[in-house]
């Protein structure tokens, strides 16, 4: 059973027009009047829109009214979660009101919850079952007429309007869990070594970036007239950075508390509210704290996407963040499974390095956001190009820093899955939780019509990556999970094709979890069979990685040339040692090898699209579930859909271009250098996209052309620029060889 989620937007355009067409104050009065008359549907529609008002007093009054509406319509957890957010207000009257509401909600529903648990026998309370209960909340506590006045705007930024949305219905088997089980022993040495190596990699990448910035500043000052370079910038920053990184590790819990509170609006999550959503999660939380002598704090992230992550180091100084969406969409045992997975990161100590990663990458991502926002306000074309260049550079730096821990991000999740399995005895519950998170993330992207910046900036620390969820989560209501996940655990080249992915393949993780289910002789949540062999032509895979094979091939050729020249020089047959004595020519050979590999791949990578073989929307599910497909083995498609993504400078690289079809979301790749118009200009519009559909770890669509309903067409220059890059590398390599 899938539950609704909170969303900060009205459900339809008509709802927005209904509210926004009125004065905000009048709308608030209308919403509160609807509460008095018990017209819950109208009150909910109006108050959720007013809750987005810039005026903090009206926003808070609308929030309080929503608590009444949620409680009266049976959305107990929604009322409690919103009350929990209001309890964080700096206004003492708001705090007192919210705390009393929480107490009343818990008190009036405790008997009903216990009765349901006893009837179920499993400890799981279906959330939708609460819709039948209409708690008689004390009207003197939560009636809008008695809400305190609120003129304090300090807390207004942390109050998030919430709204329920329904996810597509998916049938879950709800296979059982083990009553007794033998824990699988974990060899943590590889993980510990990888954790240390990731810390070193991040440190040196940050050092290289800082040295580059320092030298660029000084070189610029030297070039400019009447200015002198800054001598301090000529110093080696290694020692300073090492001390800084160690300080960041030690203080990461408190620094991230401040950072996430100010930028993401995280709040403290009381154990009483956690218990309301999942009693098992609370039991697991207390058991871990007792065993590890921990004092872990749980935080609430008020967003609709179901996510969770961990930061800190020692068990006594760690925090677990759970989003509203996760608490709303997952069942009792699934919330407990995700909590256990986060506890695994604390137990394995990998959370300490990931905390440093967040401390480094979040400010960089925020800078990228700020520069993009400033660029969107500029109307001068030349100046806007400068902002595009700066924001793209900052985004690239963010990607580089995040990429330092890709290996750790993948491996640590395998260990966390096993820890959660050992701790809960519920691999089926973990499986459902992972799939529901994927569904919820895809649903959130569809609702917002773009990728939430919180998802992208926190992606490296999440249990499921947002990129792998885009197609998987959106296609799930139309295709069985068994078909969707086959590529992840059957394709023979899957590990080679995920080296640059932030997360391991979801199907591979689930296949390992279900293998444990089989050993424990439990019913499986999914019918996954990894014994089937899938054949992929080796020459196709060789063509796919041809540019990268060209690099070692070029290096080998350079070594061969060097040995031959040295031999001829020693035998006094040919004197070329004076030209190639420094082995710098090896870079030229590598460049030429990369160029040749790229040229070999281009024709196979971008085959001619023939009208007789182009597939359309109805064929999309079958194309995406082919376990033998790889990126170069593309299919020509012509798909109708709507373009989603961020607008403006923040999407200047096309990093958030998604095609929403009737059955799935598809990530799109496009190169538009040299063109005045690009697909970003068509975001939010219905289009017809022709291109090459590729199936790798993350399915994507390479655009050939985009055509709007008005007949305007954009052609992608990807094949042209790929050829230009290949020729440029070849010319550069030849220059190095000839120059000597």
């Amino acid at each position: 059973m899938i539950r609704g989620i909170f969303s900060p937007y009205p459900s339809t355009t008509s709802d927005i027009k209904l509210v926004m067409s009125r004065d905000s104050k009048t709308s608030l009065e209308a919403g509160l009047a609807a509460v008095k008359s018990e017209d819950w549907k109208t009150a909910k529609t109006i108050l959720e829109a007013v809750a987005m008002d810039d005026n903090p007093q009206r926003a808070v009054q609308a929030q309080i009214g929503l608590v009444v509406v949620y409680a009266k319509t049976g959305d107990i957890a929604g009322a409690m979660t919103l009350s929990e957010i209001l309890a964080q207000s700096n206004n003492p009257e708001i705090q007192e009101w919210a705390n009393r509401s929480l107490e009343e909600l818990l008190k009036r529903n405790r008997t009903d919850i216990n009765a349901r648990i006893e009837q179920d026998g499993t400890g799981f309370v279906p959330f939708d079952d609460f819709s039948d209960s209409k708690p008689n909340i004390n009207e003197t506590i939560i009636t809008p007429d008695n809400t305190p006045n609120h003129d304090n705007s300090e807390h207004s930024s942390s109050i998030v309007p919430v709204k329920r949305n329904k996810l597509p219905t998916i049938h879950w088997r709800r296979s059982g869990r083990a009553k007794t089980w033998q824990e699988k022993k974990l060899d943590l040495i590889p993980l510990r070594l990888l954790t240390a190596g990731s810390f070193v990699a991040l440190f040196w990448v940050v050092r290289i970036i800082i040295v580059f910035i320092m030298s660029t500043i000084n070189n610029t000052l030297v070039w400019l007239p009447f200015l002198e370079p800054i001598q301090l910038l000529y110093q080696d920053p290694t020692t300073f950075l090492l001390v800084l990184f160690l300080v960041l590790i030690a203080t990461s819990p408190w620094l991230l508390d401040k950072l996430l509170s100010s930028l993401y609006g995280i709040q403290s999550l009381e154990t009483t509210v956690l218990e309301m959503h999942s009693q098992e999660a609370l039991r697991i939380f207390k058991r871990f704290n007792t065993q590890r002598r921990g004092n872990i704090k749980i935080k609430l992230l008020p967003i609709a996407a179901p996510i969770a992550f961990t930061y800190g180091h020692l068990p006594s100084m760690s925090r677990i963040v759970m989003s509203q969406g996760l608490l709303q969409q997952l069942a009792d045992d699934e919330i407990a499974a995700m909590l256990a997975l986060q506890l695994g990161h604390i137990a394995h100590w990998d959370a300490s390095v990931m905390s440093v990663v967040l401390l480094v990458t979040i400010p960089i991502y925020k800078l990228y956001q700020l520069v993009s926002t400033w660029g969107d306000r500029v109307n001068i074309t030349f100046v806007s190009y400068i902002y595009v260049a700066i924001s793209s550079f900052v985004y690239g730096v963010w990607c580089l820093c995040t990429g330092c821990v890709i290996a750790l991000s993948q491996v640590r999740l395998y260990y966390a899955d096993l820890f959660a399995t050992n701790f809960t005895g519920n691999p089926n519950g973990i499986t459902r939780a992972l799939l529901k998170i994927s569904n919820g993330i895809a649903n959130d992207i569809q609702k917002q019509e773009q990728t939430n910046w919180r998802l992208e900036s926190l992606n490296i620390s999440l249990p499921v990556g947002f990129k792998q969820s885009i197609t998987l989560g959106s296609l799930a209501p139309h295709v069985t999970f068994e078909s969707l996940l086959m590529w992840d655990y059957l394709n023979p080249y899957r590990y080679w094709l995920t080296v640059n992915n932030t997360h391991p393949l979801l199907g591979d993780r689930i296949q390992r979890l279900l293998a444990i289910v089989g050993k424990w002789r439990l019913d499986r949540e999914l019918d996954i069979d990894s014994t089937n062999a899938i054949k992929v032509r080796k020459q196709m895979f060789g063509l796919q990685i041809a540019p990268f094979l060209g690099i070692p091939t070029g290096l080998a050729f350079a070594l061969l040339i060097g040995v031959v020249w040295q031999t001829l020089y020693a035998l006094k047959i040919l004197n070329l040692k004076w030209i190639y004595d420094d082995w710098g020519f090896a870079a030229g050979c590598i460049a030429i090898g990369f160029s040749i590999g790229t040229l070999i791949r281009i024709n196979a990578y971008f085959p001619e699209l023939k009208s007789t073989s182009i597939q359309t929307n109805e064929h999309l599910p079958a194309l995406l579930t082919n376990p033998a497909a790889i990126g170069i083995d593309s299919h020509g498609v012509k798909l109708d859909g709507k373009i989603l993504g961020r607008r403006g400078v923040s999407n200047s690289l096309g990093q958030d271009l998604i095609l929403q079809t009737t059955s799935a979301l598809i990530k799109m790749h496009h190169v538009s250098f040299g063109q005045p118009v690009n697909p970003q200009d068509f975001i939010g519009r219905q289009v017809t996209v022709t291109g090459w559909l590729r199936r790798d770890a993350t399915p994507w669509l390479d655009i050939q052309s985009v055509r709007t309903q008005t007949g305007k067409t954009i052609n992608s220059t990807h094949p042209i620029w790929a050829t230009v890059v290949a020729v440029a590398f070849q010319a550069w390599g030849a220059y190095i060889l000839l120059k000597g």
Side-chain angles (χ1 to χ4, degrees):
M1 183 179 299
I2 296 183
R3 295 174 285 180
I5 63 173
F6 284 139
S7 171
Y9 303 108
S11 58
T12 64
T13 304
S14 61
D15 291 342
I16 297 176
K17 292 180 179 178
L18 170 66
V19 177
M20 295 306 174
S21 62
R22 306 175 182 178
D23 178 78
S24 180
K25 184 176 180 180
T26 305
S27 297
L28 175 62
E29 293 174 352
L32 297 181
V35 173
K36 288 182 180 180
S37 62
E38 299 186 358
D39 185 357
W40 307 122
K41 183 177 180 180
T42 301
K44 187 167 177 283
T45 299
I46 296 175
L47 292 177
E48 283 173 345
V50 179
M52 296 186 289
D53 197 286
D54 294 334
N55 186 296
Q57 181 178 354
R58 289 196 293 269
V60 169
Q61 288 179 329
Q63 295 267 345
I64 294 172
L66 282 174
V67 173
V68 182
V69 174
Y70 288 153
K72 288 293 186 179
T73 56
D75 188 356
I76 305 302
M80 291 191 64
T81 305
L82 189 51
S83 296
E84 178 68 20
I85 294 174
L86 290 170
Q88 306 298 319
S89 171
N90 293 329
N91 186 298
E93 294 182 3
I94 296 290
Q95 287 183 359
E96 181 182 359
W97 181 91
N99 287 328
R100 281 189 294 156
S101 294
L102 280 171
E103 293 175 3
E104 189 70 16
L105 287 164
L106 284 169
K107 177 181 177 181
R108 296 301 177 91
N109 287 278
R110 179 63 60 198
T111 303
D112 181 62
I113 294 171
N114 291 336
R116 293 173 188 273
I117 293 173
E118 291 174 1
Q119 292 174 7
D120 189 303
T122 64
F124 163 66
V125 182
F127 195 86
D128 289 346
D129 289 350
F130 287 124
S131 60
D132 296 331
S133 63
K134 308 292 184 183
N136 183 21
I137 306 297
N138 190 332
E139 297 295 336
T140 61
I141 295 179
I142 64 173
T143 297
D145 290 337
N146 298 323
T147 60
N149 291 328
H150 180 57
D151 296 323
N152 189 346
S153 61
E154 293 180 7
H155 184 68
S156 61
S157 61
S158 64
I159 296 177
V160 178
V162 292
K163 183 182 183 301
R164 293 289 192 137
N165 295 309
K166 291 185 178 180
L167 287 174
T169 302
I170 300 176
H171 172 70
W172 302 100
R173 294 182 183 177
R174 292 208 54 81
S175 298
R177 59 196 300 168
K179 296 182 179 179
T180 59
W181 65 91
Q182 184 176 3
E183 295 186 1
K184 185 175 181 179
K185 294 183 179 180
L186 302 178
D187 181 10
L188 295 177
I189 294 178
L191 179 62
R192 299 279 167 79
L193 293 175
L194 185 57
T195 302
S198 299
F199 177 82
V200 173
L202 178 65
F203 170 79
W204 280 108
V205 166
V206 172
R207 179 189 177 279
I208 290 171
I209 293 171
I210 290 179
V211 169
F212 171 77
I213 295 174
M214 292 166 60
S215 61
T216 300
I217 293 174
N218 268 353
N219 291 337
T220 303
L221 293 175
V222 169
W223 178 74
L224 293 173
F226 311 113
L227 294 176
E228 295 292 332
I230 302 173
Q231 296 302 315
L232 179 63
L233 298 183
Y234 285 122
Q235 302 297 318
D236 186 355
T238 303
T239 303
F240 170 76
L241 278 179
L242 181 59
V243 173
L244 177 63
F245 267 54
L246 294 176
V247 171
L248 289 179
I249 286 182
T251 60
S252 60
W254 302 279
L255 291 178
L256 282 170
D257 281 345
K258 294 292 184 181
L259 190 64
L260 294 173
S261 177
S262 60
L263 298 182
Y264 295 77
I266 66 166
Q267 313 283 349
S268 296
L269 181 66
E270 300 297 332
T271 55
T272 52
V273 178
L274 177 64
E275 184 182 19
M276 182 69 187
H277 291 281
S278 173
Q279 291 193 339
E280 182 186 350
L282 183 61
R283 292 195 299 269
I284 287 175
F285 179 69
K286 290 181 177 179
R287 177 154 60 98
F288 183 89
N289 277 330
T290 302
Q291 293 178 355
R292 305 291 177 123
R293 298 181 180 179
N295 186 27
I296 301 169
K297 296 179 181 179
I298 301 181
K299 302 285 187 176
L300 174 70
L301 178 63
I303 67 171
I307 62 174
F309 62 96
T310 304
Y311 62 91
H313 38 77
L314 298 173
S316 59
M317 298 179 184
S318 296
R319 287 88 163 104
I320 295 176
V321 181
M322 308 177 83
S323 71
Q324 284 181 208
L326 185 134
L327 295 176
Q328 295 300 309
Q329 294 178 47
L330 271 60
D332 179 288
D333 61 331
E334 295 154 6
I335 295 173
M338 281 300 99
L339 179 66
L341 192 143
Q342 299 306 315
L343 293 173
H345 295 316
I346 298 173
H348 300 157
W349 294 82
D350 56 84
S352 58
V353 172
M354 298 305 293
S355 299
V356 178
V357 173
L358 291 177
L359 284 172
V360 171
T361 57
I362 288 177
I364 296 174
Y365 193 91
K366 186 61 178 178
L367 177 60
Y368 150 70
Q369 275 191 301
L370 288 174
V371 173
S372 299
T373 302
W374 296 336
D376 291 334
R377 297 172 182 171
V378 174
N379 295 324
I380 304 174
T381 304
F382 172 74
V383 178
S384 66
Y385 285 154
I386 296 176
Y387 279 107
V388 167
I390 296 174
S391 67
S392 299
F393 172 77
V394 176
Y395 186 81
V397 171
W398 175 80
C399 291
L400 185 61
C401 293
T402 303
C404 295
V405 292
I406 277 181
L408 175 62
S409 177
Q410 289 191 18
V411 173
R412 77 188 194 116
L413 288 172
Y414 288 116
Y415 280 88
D417 290 343
L418 288 175
F419 177 89
T421 300
N422 287 340
F423 210 71
T424 65
N426 191 14
N428 279 320
I430 301 172
T431 297
R432 288 192 301 274
L434 294 175
L435 293 174
K436 287 185 179 182
I437 288 175
S438 177
N439 295 339
I441 290 175
N443 183 73
D444 182 67
I445 292 173
Q446 289 191 86
K447 293 293 184 182
Q448 297 198 31
E449 298 192 352
Q450 64 179 3
T451 302
N452 191 318
W453 66 269
R454 295 176 179 85
L455 282 180
E456 186 172 44
S457 60
L458 298 172
N459 183 60
I460 194 70
S461 61
L462 303 184
V464 179
F466 80 91
K467 288 185 178 180
Q468 65 183 168
S469 301
I470 288 175
T471 299
L472 174 64
S474 60
L475 194 59
H478 309 282
V479 181
T480 64
F481 281 118
E482 286 84 352
S483 299
L484 278 174
L485 299 174
M486 284 179 66
W487 195 98
D488 292 4
Y489 64 89
L490 289 179
N491 192 286
Y493 299 113
R494 59 190 182 277
Y495 296 118
W496 289 98
L497 299 174
T498 56
V499 292
N500 61 339
N501 279 32
T502 56
H503 290 71
L505 292 167
L506 195 57
D508 188 50
R509 293 172 65 183
I510 290 175
Q511 190 274 328
R512 298 181 186 215
L513 289 169
L514 296 183
I516 298 175
V517 172
K519 290 181 180 179
W520 290 354
R521 299 188 178 184
L522 301 172
D523 292 334
R524 299 188 180 195
E525 185 67 27
L526 301 176
D527 293 324
I528 283 183
D529 184 7
S530 61
T531 59
N532 296 329
I534 299 296
K535 293 183 179 181
V536 179
R537 289 180 294 170
K538 292 183 178 180
Q539 59 268 33
M540 295 300 292
F541 178 69
L543 279 174
Q544 169 130 349
I545 63 173
F548 307 102
L549 288 178
I551 295 175
T553 303
L555 180 60
F557 185 67
L559 293 174
L560 177 62
I561 292 176
V563 171
V564 171
W565 282 338
Q566 292 286 350
T567 302
L568 293 176
Y569 175 77
L571 297 175
K572 298 181 180 181
I573 297 175
L574 186 64
N575 185 5
L576 290 177
K577 190 174 185 295
W578 63 276
I579 299 179
Y580 302 103
D581 194 35
D582 63 353
W583 286 86
F585 67 91
C589 293
I590 292 174
I592 292 175
F594 175 79
S595 171
I596 294 173
T598 303
L599 290 172
I600 290 174
R601 187 178 75 163
I602 285 177
N603 287 336
Y605 207 68
F606 299 101
E608 181 182 357
L609 296 178
K610 299 179 180 179
S611 58
T612 55
S613 60
I614 287 183
Q615 307 290 325
T616 52
N617 287 55
E618 59 268 20
H619 303 106
L620 189 57
L623 297 177
L624 291 172
T625 54
N626 179 10
I630 59 176
I632 199 169
D633 187 20
S634 61
H635 295 274
V637 295
K638 186 176 183 180
L639 304 176
D640 296 321
K642 181 180 179 181
I643 296 183
L644 311 181
R646 294 192 292 267
R647 291 178 169 85
V649 176
S650 64
N651 202 11
S652 55
L653 296 176
Q655 56 266 54
D656 189 32
L657 279 180
I658 302 169
L659 182 66
Q660 181 184 26
T661 69
T662 54
S663 57
L665 300 178
I666 306 293
K667 188 80 173 173
M668 293 194 296
H669 290 183
H670 177 73
V671 177
S672 58
F673 294 133
Q675 290 184 319
V677 183
N678 56 62
Q680 288 91 311
D681 299 323
F682 297 155
I683 287 176
R685 298 172 62 178
Q686 292 291 329
V687 297
T688 298
V689 181
T690 303
W692 299 271
L693 182 67
R694 309 190 191 280
R695 180 63 170 97
D696 269 353
T698 301
W700 81 93
L701 177 61
D702 257 322
I703 297 175
Q704 184 200 53
S705 65
V706 178
R707 182 181 177 86
T708 66
Q709 292 179 325
T710 59
K712 193 170 185 177
T713 302
I714 300 174
N715 294 314
S716 175
T717 56
H718 193 169
I720 297 174
W721 280 102
T723 304
V724 170
V725 170
V727 172
F729 268 93
Q730 197 166 56
W732 179 46
Y735 171 76
I736 293 175
L737 288 177
L738 294 175
K739 182 181 177 181

